[in-house]
Amino acid sequence: MFQMMVDWVSGSNWSYVAIFAVAVIDAFFPVVPSESMVIVAGTLAGTGDLNVFLVILAAWAGAVTGDNISYGIGKFAGERTVKRLFRHPKAHRGFDWAEQQLEERGSYIIVIARFIPFGRTAVTFTAGYTRGLPWHRFFRYDLVAGGIWATYATMLGYLGGKQFEEHPWKGVLLGLGIAFGVALIIEMIRKRREKKVDTIPE
């Protein structure tokens, strides 16, 4: 997997196109590992093969573009069509969670959800088919979310690449480990809060 991603972002001008494209697709097809790709690209930037600022811009632009495509699909296709596309019960639970979060916490959940792999997909689709979040507000928050995410993922790889210039794969492993750890902590906090809410007597 590491070698395949290295081949995709191998130091040519097409590397930034690949980063952009994977970030776009991952927004509505979460099987594509955009965060891993950006961390690998950041690692290569740390070893001097790529420009770190262009990596951030490509990942940022891809994330925002993909999120807005998801929002558009949700808005114009509607809730039934979206849930028909994602038929797995786990996906439906994700959409239910996203609807609840958007209702209770408002637009800033868009920023938090960007760091939860399927959470960002559920929130962007749901934001489109719910009536309480107009596009201009969604776009503002998503712009911030995409920028933070792109910088975070790129710098994880970049700092690892600087530390392990002779063995860049170690930098990738370090960056991925931190990213998965952060995602796990966020997921644990989310589940703990849900459990507390469920136990509060009405």
Side-chain angles (χ1 to χ4, degrees):
M1 177 67 77
F2 168 67
Q3 190 56 51
M4 181 182 69
M5 291 185 183
V6 169
D7 291 341
W8 284 355
V9 289
S10 55
S12 69
N13 290 331
W14 288 102
S15 303
Y16 307 109
V17 176
I19 295 164
F20 172 83
V22 170
V24 170
I25 296 169
D26 183 46
F28 50 86
F29 190 63
V31 176
V32 180
S34 67
E35 195 161 74
S36 300
M37 168 76 91
V38 177
I39 290 172
V40 169
T43 303
L44 294 178
T47 59
D49 291 333
L50 293 174
N51 183 299
V52 65
F53 297 108
L54 291 181
V55 171
I56 292 173
L57 285 175
W60 188 357
V64 172
T65 301
D67 287 347
N68 279 269
I69 290 173
S70 296
Y71 180 94
I73 293 172
K75 186 173 184 62
F76 294 107
E79 181 178 357
R80 288 185 179 179
T81 304
V82 169
K83 290 186 175 179
R84 200 174 296 152
L85 290 172
F86 296 89
R87 297 182 179 180
H88 197 280
K90 187 175 181 181
H92 283 200
R93 288 196 296 272
F95 287 121
D96 292 340
W97 169 81
E99 290 171 15
Q100 182 181 354
Q101 295 302 310
L102 282 167
E103 184 179 343
E104 292 179 358
R105 291 172 172 78
S107 305
Y108 84 87
I109 193 63
I110 295 166
V111 178
I112 297 171
R114 179 95 286 273
F115 295 87
I116 305 173
F118 182 74
R120 58 179 172 243
T121 305
V123 166
T124 51
F125 274 113
T126 304
Y129 65 69
T130 55
R131 295 183 178 181
L133 189 60
W135 176 78
H136 64 84
R137 189 188 303 168
F138 170 83
F139 181 75
R140 287 201 303 268
Y141 278 87
D142 191 55
L143 203 61
V144 173
I148 294 172
W149 173 83
T151 304
Y152 156 79
T154 301
M155 294 311 295
L156 279 181
Y158 181 80
L159 295 174
K162 282 291 187 184
Q163 292 295 319
F164 303 102
E165 288 190 37
E166 299 298 322
H167 303 283
W169 62 270
K170 292 183 179 179
V172 173
L173 289 179
L174 176 63
L176 289 174
I178 294 173
F180 289 142
V182 169
L184 182 63
I185 291 170
I186 292 173
E187 185 68 9
M188 288 172 63
I189 292 172
R190 181 179 72 82
K191 287 186 176 180
R192 181 172 292 183
R193 285 184 174 179
E194 285 182 352
K195 191 176 290 185
K196 283 183 178 180
V197 170
D198 291 339
T199 55
I200 294 175
E202 295 183 359

